[in-house]
Amino acid sequence: MKNLDLALIGNCAIGALIDEQATVLWGCFPRFDADPMFCALLRDTDDFGYFGIDLADRVRTEQHYLENTAILVTRLYDRRGGAIEVLDFAPRFHLNGRTFRPMMLVRQIRWIEGSPRLTLRLRPACDEGAGRPSITWGSNHIRYVAPAFTLRLTTDASLTAIMQETSFFLEDTVTLLLGPDETINEAVGEVGRRFLEETTQYWREWVRNLGIPFEWQGPVIRAAITLKLNAYEDTGAIIAAMTTSIPEAAGSTRNWDYRFCWLRDSYFVINALNRLGATRTMERYIAYIINLAADAEGEPLQPVYGIDGRAELEEREAQALAGYRGMGPVRLGNLAYRQVQHDVYGSAILAATHVFFDQRLTRQGDKALFHRLEALGAQAICCFDQPDAGLWELRGSARVHTFSAVMCWAACDRLAKIAERLALPERASHWREHARTIHATISRRAWNDTRGTFVSTFEGEALDASLLLLVEVGFLDRGDPRFAATVAAVEKELRRGDFIFRYIEKDDFGEPENAFILCTFWYINALAALDRREEAGALFEKLLSCRNRHGLLAEHIDPKSGELWGNFVQTYSMVGLINAAIRLSIRWDQAF
């Protein structure tokens, strides 16, 4: 039965998910949101849509990442003492003053011992899982010709063995380069060796420059690499996850396409990476959102855009794909782009605020950028007390959501701080006044005197987990008794075992069954803010134990079984891990 005990490889141009048997189950070409040419993760048959390496009489497997890299190592053993090692990666390294990141997967298969006998099964799909590409071949390559894209496999293995899927004994090393339909003029094995060496060096140098906390270094490094892999470097967009339509819970039909850029999610991602010192992703993303704001020409921002900046993400169902474990539908596109979510203005401005204060950056924020951001702030002023779908993207109702209003306040608050930084006193006064007005309105309308807590909507009764962020975004001081009261209310109403639910009221699909993982990380941070660090640390350790074997998390978790659900790998969840580790770790100067 399929599960999410998968590894992610990629290079900020493409990504792929690989199971414990070294089978590529998911991968879109030529970019994150393209046709899933490897889609077996969402198919109910094993006839095609994957790239498998079958070892005859296999009895066990071992799998791990090469230390501090995005390179996956899988060892397969047979019952007669034979063994092979598979190295999977997407090349990424510096070349000729640029970052070389081709749309390519490299698979290097090495002999370890014995007489291992292999069968290579390269069976890509096309047309949203409905068909298979046509095949042509040359002296050292096979072309898989699909309507939208042609994959070329260049290899030093037998082409006949691959095309006819005949078994062969592995005696040395076989290299497979799977990428665009371009000729490779060098020896395949040498290209694979060089790409592996350069990519290893790239990732280890990248990790070496991270500013990580003293405790939980391994989990934080893996989370940081994972966030980096979800950034589409060509435009600066950051996707929420690599997959589409992994259900939030079994049979729930809460199946969504997450291969797009949510402004809210992306703010949290770049904020986490910036805390670790990985500023390049932040700079690229800020350029992306500034272009979006310019294209909007004063119109409201959408909550989500395509990785190329396109606005329309029409939603349809892939009829040929049965879904994860047969739990359809499989949706391509996301109608959330039509929703009104007012928190986007705060998300965009909070992300951009870094460039005005972070002196490590080569390009500092200036008055021209500030004036562009003011247009977003003006939108926040107009809509902070208007109904929207909220951050949980409720499709069936619109209310005035507290979190949306708080993020509109944050937009004005940060604009005031930026104006002060730029020595623009009139603009600083303007934005401070609006921030005060919005803050007062939220404090009056989102506080429920009867319950003694902030609530999720103006004049509402219910709670949601975003209230745990009131200190995080600076709306309340950590010593404000209203925050302690709100955290107490959330843990009483939304906690189920070790997990915090995002909300418990019925929505368009009924009552939520599984916990949204990020919310528990928010709760951990709130406990730390309230000086309940021992509780926070114990809960953090429990959450770490919920990761899969590679240290990765999906969007949701079954609070009873601990099984991961929802799109994978979920950037939100990995951000939560990083932020909680930074918050809870002892300082380096106190460590030894």
Side-chain angles (χ1 to χ4, degrees):
M1 184 170 66
K2 294 183 176 70
N3 59 52
L4 296 181
D5 201 8
L6 307 172
L8 170 66
I9 63 170
N11 63 357
C12 304
I14 57 169
L17 297 174
I18 300 174
D19 72 6
E20 63 176 351
Q21 300 168 12
T23 300
V24 179
L25 293 180
W26 182 261
C28 302
F29 284 86
R31 64 186 201 184
F32 297 151
D33 61 349
D35 193 17
M37 301 189 79
F38 299 111
C39 54
L41 188 63
L42 301 183
R43 289 181 60 81
D44 59 352
T45 59
D46 294 328
D47 46 352
F48 63 91
Y50 64 92
F51 187 175
I53 299 173
D54 294 345
L55 175 65
D57 299 317
R58 184 186 68 244
V59 292
R60 67 185 178 94
T61 67
E62 298 173 357
Q63 197 172 57
H64 65 276
Y65 281 111
L66 205 59
E67 185 179 16
N68 292 351
T69 75
I71 299 167
L72 183 68
V73 180
T74 308
R75 293 193 179 98
L76 306 175
Y77 299 85
D78 67 29
R79 61 180 175 83
R80 295 183 300 274
I84 65 171
E85 181 178 81
V86 183
L87 286 92
D88 283 308
F89 65 98
R92 180 178 174 86
F93 51 88
H94 299 301
L95 180 68
N96 298 327
R98 295 175 294 179
T99 301
F100 179 66
R101 52 177 194 280
M103 295 173 285
M104 176 185 290
L105 299 180
V106 178
R107 314 203 76 184
Q108 191 180 81
I109 310 173
R110 299 173 175 177
W111 174 88
I112 297 180
E113 60 184 350
S115 300
R117 195 161 184 249
L118 308 182
T119 306
L120 301 180
R121 306 187 193 279
L122 177 49
R123 301 179 180 183
C126 63
D127 296 329
E128 300 171 359
R132 300 180 63 171
S134 59
I135 296 176
T136 67
W137 65 92
S139 56
N140 297 105
H141 71 267
I142 305 171
R143 298 170 69 245
Y144 298 86
V145 183
F149 188 74
T150 296
L151 275 176
R152 178 190 288 238
L153 175 71
T154 305
T155 182
D156 50 13
S158 164
L159 301 189
T160 300
I162 295 172
M163 289 188 289
Q164 297 184 9
E165 297 184 358
T166 54
S167 300
F168 62 94
F169 287 100
L170 182 68
E171 298 176 344
D172 195 357
T173 297
V174 165
T175 301
L176 305 111
L177 310 177
L178 184 66
D181 191 17
E182 299 172 356
T183 301
I184 295 175
N185 295 317
E186 302 175 64
V188 175
E190 175 58 24
V191 172
R193 183 202 63 76
R194 180 164 51 86
F195 282 7
L196 175 61
E197 182 179 294
E198 296 280 1
T199 301
T200 302
Q201 181 178 342
Y202 168 84
W203 282 113
R204 287 181 172 166
E205 189 66 22
W206 187 81
V207 168
R208 186 180 169 198
N209 289 316
L210 294 177
I212 59 176
F214 176 76
E215 297 179 89
W216 305 292
Q217 294 181 37
V220 169
I221 289 171
R222 181 53 49 199
I225 291 174
T226 303
L227 294 184
K228 178 73 171 175
L229 294 180
N230 278 46
Y232 185 62
E233 193 165 291
D234 184 62
T235 63
I238 299 169
I239 58 173
M242 283 284 169
T243 59
T244 178
S245 302
I246 308 296
E248 295 178 6
S252 65
T253 71
R254 297 175 187 261
N255 302 8
W256 315 113
D257 192 347
Y258 276 13
R259 300 171 300 155
F260 307 114
C261 183
W262 272 260
L263 302 190
R264 178 192 317 111
D265 302 42
S266 300
Y267 157 67
F268 284 108
V269 170
I270 65 100
N271 194 43
L273 288 176
N274 193 51
R275 288 181 179 181
L276 297 175
T279 58
R280 177 62 179 165
T281 303
M282 178 183 67
E283 291 179 287
R284 295 291 297 158
Y285 174 67
I286 290 170
Y288 172 81
I289 59 173
I290 293 304
N291 285 323
L292 291 181
D295 290 341
E297 297 181 338
E299 293 297 313
L301 280 181
Q302 296 176 187
V304 57
Y305 292 85
I307 60 174
D308 54 3
R310 75 185 188 278
E312 295 187 2
L313 305 174
E314 290 299 336
E315 193 175 288
R316 64 188 185 281
E317 295 183 8
Q319 300 297 330
L321 296 175
Y324 181 72
R325 299 185 188 170
M327 298 175 189
V330 172
R331 295 186 172 98
L332 304 175
N334 199 308
L335 283 180
Y337 84 92
R338 295 181 181 176
Q339 289 189 355
V340 175
Q341 296 177 28
H342 297 320
D343 66 291
V344 295
Y345 303 107
S347 298
I349 291 173
L350 262 64
T353 299
H354 290 277
V355 302
F356 294 91
F357 292 90
D358 193 335
Q359 295 185 24
R360 295 171 298 175
L361 306 183
T362 54
R363 290 187 178 181
Q364 294 289 303
D366 56 17
K367 293 179 181 178
L369 175 57
F370 169 69
H371 291 314
R372 291 194 191 100
L373 296 177
E374 284 194 296
L376 301 181
Q379 294 275 10
I381 292 170
C382 293
C383 68
F384 84 93
D385 58 353
Q386 299 302 305
D388 72 348
L391 82 161
W392 307 123
E393 300 187 339
L394 302 176
R395 294 192 171 198
S397 62
R399 291 174 285 181
V400 182
H401 288 89
T402 301
F403 179 78
S404 297
V406 167
M407 292 298 279
C408 288
W409 165 84
C412 297
D413 177 75
R414 299 321 191 264
L415 285 172
K417 290 178 169 62
I418 294 169
E420 290 175 355
R421 177 81 168 182
L422 296 175
L424 299 171
E426 290 186 12
R427 302 313 299 160
S429 177
H430 170 84
W431 291 112
R432 270 197 306 271
E433 184 59 35
H434 281 293
R436 279 195 292 265
T437 300
I438 295 173
H439 196 287
T441 302
I442 296 170
S443 298
R444 184 177 71 256
R445 299 185 61 188
W447 176 261
N448 186 306
D449 275 324
T450 302
R451 301 201 61 183
T453 177
F454 279 100
V455 288
S456 59
T457 59
F458 281 16
E459 288 85 38
E461 296 285 337
L463 304 176
D464 82 285
S466 69
L467 298 170
L468 297 168
L469 295 174
L470 293 176
V471 165
E472 187 79 17
V473 298
F475 183 82
L476 295 179
D477 294 328
R478 55 185 293 179
D480 192 316
R482 293 176 298 174
F483 182 64
T486 299
V487 173
V490 166
E491 59 192 357
K492 179 180 179 181
E493 188 165 308
L494 301 184
R495 184 167 181 171
R496 300 291 184 273
D498 292 328
F499 304 100
I500 299 292
F501 275 59
R502 54 185 173 181
Y503 53 82
I504 57 173
E505 59 182 331
K506 288 184 178 180
D507 59 19
D508 314 324
F509 298 86
E511 293 182 7
E513 300 175 52
N514 289 338
F516 195 89
I517 292 174
L518 177 64
C519 297
T520 306
F521 284 120
W522 288 348
Y523 176 58
I524 289 168
N525 290 338
L527 291 179
L530 295 171
D531 293 325
R532 296 164 60 183
R533 297 181 65 85
E534 187 172 339
E535 292 177 68
L539 189 55
F540 182 60
E541 290 287 358
K542 290 181 180 179
L543 220 52
L544 287 181
S545 70
C546 296
R547 298 171 300 151
N548 75 4
R549 75 173 71 197
H550 301 294
L552 307 180
L553 289 165
E555 182 184 44
H556 282 74
I557 190 167
D558 185 325
K560 296 178 181 178
S561 69
E563 183 176 8
L564 297 175
W565 289 87
N567 281 309
F568 184 85
V569 177
Q570 178 74 10
T571 56
Y572 249 168
S573 300
M574 306 310 289
V575 162
L577 188 159
I578 291 171
N579 288 341
I582 292 173
R583 185 69 57 85
L584 295 173
S585 175
I586 61 174
R587 300 201 320 252
W588 278 87
D589 60 0
Q590 298 174 332
F592 41 76

